[in-house]
Amino acid sequence: MSIIISAFDRSPDGGRGLARDTRVRWALEEVGVDYGVRPVAWQAMQEPAHLARHPFGQIPTFEDGGLTLFESGAIVFHIADRHASLLPEAPEARARAISWMFAALNTVEPPILDIQTAMFQEGEQPWAKARMPLIHERVRGRLRQLAARLGDADWLDGAFSAGDLLMVSVLLRLRSSGLLDEFANLAAYVARGEARPAYRRAFEAQRAFNTRPQSAG
Ligand SMILES: N[C@@H](CCC(=O)N[C@@H](CS)C(=O)NCC(=O)O)C(=O)O
């Protein structure tokens, strides 16, 4: 097994699949490639060995022989680019699928991440409570646009692609907010993504990893 990805030694979400190694695992499962996992403890994230793999001291990373990559989008793109099935062969369809990858990470994920920032990093601020409805409204705005574009299609542009893989991964972060359920077609879209056998395998693998017994000391 030559591919190694890194993941939190134990994800703060306790195995709910929200850490970004899940999207990389999902991509690898979709293309049928085995991989190993390098657990990274919190205290090791900013140490030189991990910083050599990831300049910002985050997860996930991807190693394959002499190649080391960071950024989940770049990793998923690399996997999709080198194996059939996650990006169309036809150049224009491929370019559109790549647009959806960028849209997921650059346009849809940032307002969604604001919810987490507001809750976990700014929750103690006196203005935190007043800000949340504004953040939710911005997310709703994006979801409204995305829902309008998806309509009653199964996937964003023809067959399932790496664009859908990233978009579903990003939208999954919204589940606990209830916002996703305001858009029935998006909720169904996410459910379709989660129902894919490759997603199930990726989810179960990260869950098993994050709930594995750990030896004391
Ligand atoms: N844009 C990066 C974000 C990576 C990221 O934020 N990773 C989180 C885990 S999902 C992390 O390592 N957090 C710990 C930290 O930032 O110190 C990507 O998509 O890979």
Side-chain angles (χ1 to χ4, degrees):
M1 179 184 305
S2 66
I3 292 179
I4 304 285
I5 68 167
S6 65
F8 286 130
D9 186 25
R10 200 161 277 256
S11 174
D13 76 4
R16 287 193 301 134
L18 301 179
R20 290 172 178 82
D21 58 293
T22 303
R23 52 186 77 169
V24 173
R25 293 172 184 267
W26 185 5
L28 288 165
E29 292 287 354
E30 289 282 352
V31 300
V33 171
D34 285 343
Y35 61 94
V37 181
R38 180 196 297 285
V40 188
W42 276 106
Q43 62 276 18
M45 295 193 68
Q46 298 297 331
E47 286 176 359
H50 188 63
L51 286 172
R53 290 186 282 271
H54 195 308
F56 307 111
Q58 297 180 315
I59 62 96
T61 59
F62 171 101
E63 294 157 75
D64 186 5
L67 176 68
T68 301
L69 297 174
F70 60 97
E71 283 295 333
S72 60
I75 298 169
V76 169
F77 175 72
H78 174 77
I79 295 164
D81 196 40
R82 271 158 186 73
H83 300 88
S85 84
L86 279 176
L87 283 173
E89 286 294 316
E92 292 191 356
R94 192 175 183 92
R96 287 197 303 273
I98 293 169
S99 294
W100 280 115
M101 296 179 71
F102 277 85
L105 301 178
N106 286 355
T107 304
V108 179
E109 189 166 48
I112 292 176
L113 289 177
D114 269 353
I115 297 178
Q116 257 107 60
T117 307
M119 278 166 48
F120 302 116
Q121 274 137 276
E122 301 170 352
E124 299 300 310
Q125 300 297 330
W127 38 261
K129 223 172 161 172
R131 190 164 167 255
M132 197 54 108
L134 301 176
I135 298 174
H136 277 195
E137 212 33 51
R138 276 202 294 275
V139 171
R140 266 192 202 96
R142 280 288 176 257
L143 296 185
R144 211 171 284 127
Q145 294 168 315
L146 185 64
R149 173 55 79 98
L150 179 67
D152 59 7
D154 278 355
W155 307 114
L156 288 165
D157 192 317
F160 177 82
S161 78
D164 295 297
L165 186 154
L166 289 177
M167 192 65 82
V168 168
S169 299
V170 161
L171 294 176
L172 272 166
R173 289 181 170 268
L174 280 177
R175 175 152 288 147
S176 59
S177 73
L179 288 171
L180 196 56
D181 297 323
E182 295 179 18
F183 300 86
N185 67 337
L186 293 184
Y189 170 68
V190 169
R192 269 192 296 282
E194 287 179 294
R196 291 181 71 82
Y199 177 83
R200 297 304 329 155
R201 289 194 297 274
F203 181 86
E204 287 309 328
Q206 70 73 35
R207 199 190 56 77
F209 183 83
N210 284 305
T211 55
R212 72 198 187 284
Q214 280 179 325
S215 53

